Amino acid sequence: MKKQTLIFLTLFLSQIIFAQKQNGTWDYPIRPGTEKWQELDSYEKRLNAYNIPDSILSIMSTIDLVKTCLNYPEFRLIMTRNSLQLGYDYLKSIFNGFAELEKRSDSGKELIKLYEAMEPQKITQYDTPSKRGAFSFQFTCIELIMAQPGIQKNLSKKDIIQYFDVCTKKYDGKKLLENEYSMFDLGTTALTMGRLLNQEKHSDFEQVKQSNTQVRNFLEKSYPTTIEDFNLIYNYSKDYLKTYKNE
């Protein structure tokens, strides 16, 4: 009986992997609500079940990988650590998609394409706080990934201009809807811009980092800081964008 079960499980997984290879995506076939999920007897095993087999991971297009990471079923775990960055670091330690995404040289390009199409004002279309919260959390997820140095280091000058342009517009959009988007929501937008300023070694911003411990801690570990610091990062981003466009 055990042998038959093992054979069935092997065939089941083989069919899953074949189907995933056909379209290059990974839709987490073993997840809550499935019979196989119920058979896993520990949370650790369930987390491991989300990982993408190497045979699939190696052939996935970057855009498919981006979407797979954004759809990671346990993304909420970023909230279980002392900061969002520490939460992301934890996710990267348990799910192989994030580490692979940071290795892709075109990941930033694909992320910004999806991000640009997202519209903060659409939050008003949702009629309950939980739905609006789920919508705003989509921004948190993509911005946190966009803020990773491994993603930003491969950006071209054109990409950098687009990053600053789109991020400042999203920041503006969120601030116009202050009853819908909190400081928490502005934080990941500011983190994305701030880390790019840091990477590009903006001279005036370098001086701010040297004199402001909270800004340094925010950039390094996304520890909380003030709305004034967020606005400062926004203003330097606008300034840097203007300088870049005029070159």
Side-chain angles (χ1 to χ4, degrees), residues 30 37-40 42-50:
I30 302 177
W37 179 266
Q38 296 301 321
E39 293 175 2
L40 299 174
S42 72
Y43 186 54
E44 182 179 1
K45 289 180 180 178
R46 288 176 173 181
L47 288 178
N48 286 335
Y50 288 133

Side-chain angles (χ1 to χ4, degrees), residues 38-228:
Q38 296 301 321
E39 293 175 2
L40 299 174
D41 58 9
S42 72
Y43 186 54
E44 182 179 1
K45 289 180 180 178
R46 288 176 173 181
L47 288 178
N48 286 335
Y50 288 133
N51 279 301
I52 308 168
D54 290 339
S55 59
I56 293 176
L57 192 60
S58 63
I59 63 172
M60 288 180 73
S61 68
T62 302
I63 185 58
D64 285 333
L65 183 56
V66 165
K67 291 177 180 178
T68 296
C69 288
L70 290 173
N71 289 328
Y72 180 60
E74 299 293 335
F75 219 120
R76 61 186 175 81
L77 293 177
I78 60 171
M79 307 295 293
T80 65
R81 298 300 186 267
N82 289 334
S83 75
L84 290 180
Q85 181 58 51
L86 295 177
Y88 175 82
D89 292 342
Y90 174 61
L91 289 195
K92 194 162 67 168
S93 75
I94 60 174
F95 176 61
N96 59 355
F98 293 110
E100 174 65 22
L101 187 62
E102 290 191 31
K103 294 177 184 176
R104 302 285 181 95
S105 61
D106 58 341
S107 57
K109 294 177 184 292
E110 298 299 345
L111 281 160
I112 199 67
K113 288 177 187 176
L114 291 180
Y115 184 59
E116 188 169 23
M118 297 170 68
E119 300 176 25
Q121 66 269 26
K122 285 189 174 180
I123 195 170
T124 59
Q125 298 177 5
Y126 297 93
D127 59 357
T128 65
S130 61
K131 290 178 181 178
R132 292 194 293 271
F135 179 82
S136 66
F137 191 64
Q138 294 176 29
F139 283 92
T140 300
C141 296
I142 193 168
E143 288 170 348
L144 188 57
I145 297 176
M146 289 169 60
Q148 299 310 305
I151 299 294
Q152 295 188 348
K153 70 180 182 180
N154 292 312
L155 297 175
S156 66
K157 180 176 178 178
K158 182 179 178 181
D159 297 330
I160 291 169
I161 292 173
Q162 188 177 13
Y163 250 59
F164 278 125
D165 187 42
V166 176
C167 287
T168 53
K169 287 176 180 175
K170 302 305 181 193
Y171 193 85
D172 288 335
K174 291 180 182 181
K175 288 200 76 174
L176 286 173
L177 294 164
E178 58 183 15
N179 291 330
E180 303 293 348
Y181 293 99
S182 65
M183 265 192 66
F184 174 85
D185 299 305
L186 292 173
T188 44
T189 321
L191 183 66
T192 304
M193 295 186 289
R195 285 193 171 162
L196 193 53
L197 286 170
N198 186 55
Q199 174 185 281
E200 296 301 297
K201 299 191 182 303
H202 185 287
S203 57
D204 292 339
F205 190 63
E206 287 291 305
Q207 294 178 24
V208 170
K209 284 195 310 173
Q210 293 301 318
S211 61
N212 190 323
T213 302
Q214 281 191 205
V215 168
R216 289 201 306 274
N217 289 337
F218 173 67
L219 294 177
E220 291 173 9
K221 296 295 183 183
S222 74
Y223 289 140
T225 188
T226 65
I227 187 63
E228 288 76 18

